[in-house]
Amino acid sequence: MLQKIQEATDFLINKLNNEVPDFAIVCGSGLAKLKDQVEAIEVISYKDIPNFPKTTVPGHTGKLIYGTLEGKKVLLMSGRFHYYEGYSMQEVTFHLRVFHSIGIKNLIVSNASGGVRKDMHVGDVMIITDHINFFPEHPLRGANLDNFGPRFVDMSVPYDKEYISIFKEVAKENDVNVREGVYFGLQGPTFETPSEYGMVRAMGADAVGMSTVPEVIVARHQGMRVAALSVITDLGGPEIANPVSHEEVLNAANVAMPKVIKLVRGLVKNA
Ligand code: HPA
């Protein structure tokens, strides 16, 4: 594992001309348009990076973009790896190990999710303030990578408080309506049944999705500061039986894109 991480790291350090980006940004379902905001210096296909997994989901294009955003250097991942694709948790979070090895200290993640709170609307953007890990496997299970972080990881503040404040300030200044809430991570690939959405709500979460949690756990293991946004692309609950489709998720993410762009730009600029 360490050798695989090192090979990918060496390859990317060379591509980045030994510069350390200020932020890594991971784009979720339908949010790949964020990449058009970055003035690209280098575009790298996952397939060219040693040991990098390949994406299999439509809407996840499989490119790393190194460039500038708001005067800062960023490394943006357009297309992430999901547990439901069949990857191990080590593969799902491999990029995080590489980002840390390059020296990147800050992470912005985005995703699409199903809202379970009754006052939510499709197209809302939610600042993730906490999560509930309901994946069947843990990304830190097995021998601890001592060079990256401790065996037992503190998760009392998983999402950086200062970054949450900056998101809120940027939202206020730009008249963007944002919500804050707890993200519930499930393996998928099925969307939830009405009763499962009800369970998510009853367990104290506001939105549910199939990503992000493993990445945030590994980022926190390594001491990275994490900011996360979720776009509510559908609504669920025991009282709702609306069909959900991937197309619908992508469309709703598209509609919310301008808000996500404002928030991400604002954070990168002000952090
Ligand atoms: N459930 C799980 N993942 C999702 C959803 C959902 O309702 N919407 C977008 N991703």
Side-chain angles (χ1 to χ4, degrees):
M1 189 61 186
L2 289 174
Q3 195 189 330
K4 283 188 174 170
I5 295 166
Q6 197 56 50
E7 284 167 5
T9 303
D10 291 345
F11 175 88
L12 286 174
I13 285 177
N14 186 36
K15 286 274 180 199
L16 304 183
N17 263 322
N18 295 309
E19 270 205 70
V20 179
D22 301 297
F23 280 91
I25 304 175
V26 178
C27 300
S29 292
L31 298 169
K33 277 200 185 147
L34 250 182
K35 73 174 186 297
D36 302 334
Q37 302 295 312
V38 176
E39 284 173 52
I41 298 168
E42 193 78 50
V43 178
I44 309 148
S45 287
Y46 295 173
K47 64 175 172 20
D48 296 330
I49 308 171
N51 312 314
F52 234 64
K54 321 265 172 290
T55 57
T56 67
V57 196
H60 288 258
T61 51
K63 285 197 167 61
L64 260 186
I65 290 118
Y66 170 57
T68 49
L69 182 69
E70 297 290 349
K72 306 261 176 81
K73 290 276 160 51
V74 300
L75 187 61
L76 178 142
M77 249 186 102
S78 168
R80 58 149 61 93
F81 312 110
H82 302 84
Y83 187 70
Y84 63 73
E85 292 176 81
Y87 296 121
S88 69
M89 277 298 185
Q90 282 66 34
E91 289 170 312
V92 166
T93 56
F94 184 76
H95 53 290
L96 268 307
R97 293 307 189 193
V98 176
F99 293 162
H100 175 75
S101 301
I102 292 171
I104 303 174
K105 303 235 173 337
N106 302 293
L107 174 72
I108 304 175
V109 280
S110 59
N111 63 49
S113 66
V116 297
R117 216 162 70 200
K118 289 186 179 163
D119 63 350
M120 276 179 168
H121 305 284
V122 168
D124 277 352
V125 177
M126 182 180 96
I127 302 166
I128 302 179
T129 56
D130 199 356
H131 71 227
I132 296 174
N133 178 19
F134 237 64
F135 279 85
E137 200 195 321
H138 199 285
L140 301 181
R141 178 169 174 266
N144 185 50
L145 300 182
D146 294 328
N147 294 340
F148 289 78
R151 169 79 293 182
F152 300 106
V153 182
D154 173 59
M155 290 296 279
S156 57
V157 189
Y159 298 85
D160 195 273
K161 287 209 156 89
E162 191 189 331
Y163 290 174
I164 292 172
S165 306
I166 294 175
F167 272 150
K168 281 162 56 175
E169 272 166 39
V170 172
K172 210 166 159 191
E173 279 165 17
N174 289 279
D175 220 6
V176 170
N177 181 21
V178 279
R179 294 168 175 280
E180 291 173 65
V182 177
Y183 178 87
F184 195 100
L186 276 175
Q187 67 171 312
T190 41
F191 293 112
E192 290 65 39
T193 65
S195 299
E196 285 165 349
Y197 282 118
M199 172 194 77
V200 168
R201 186 189 295 163
M203 289 177 94
D206 303 293
V208 54
M210 309 171 195
S211 69
T212 305
V213 169
E215 291 162 299
V216 171
I217 288 171
V218 169
R220 291 304 301 144
H221 178 244
Q222 314 170 146
M224 291 176 91
R225 295 176 72 178
V226 178
L229 294 176
S230 189
V231 174
I232 308 299
T233 56
D234 53 274
L235 301 173
E239 72 288 356
I240 305 172
N242 291 339
V244 189
S245 69
H246 189 55
E247 286 65 39
E248 205 182 358
V249 167
L250 296 183
N251 286 340
N254 217 5
V255 170
M257 203 62 232
K259 292 190 268 190
V260 173
I261 288 170
K262 283 203 179 105
L263 293 171
V264 170
R265 274 188 172 276
L267 177 61
V268 169
K269 183 175 175 188
N270 295 302

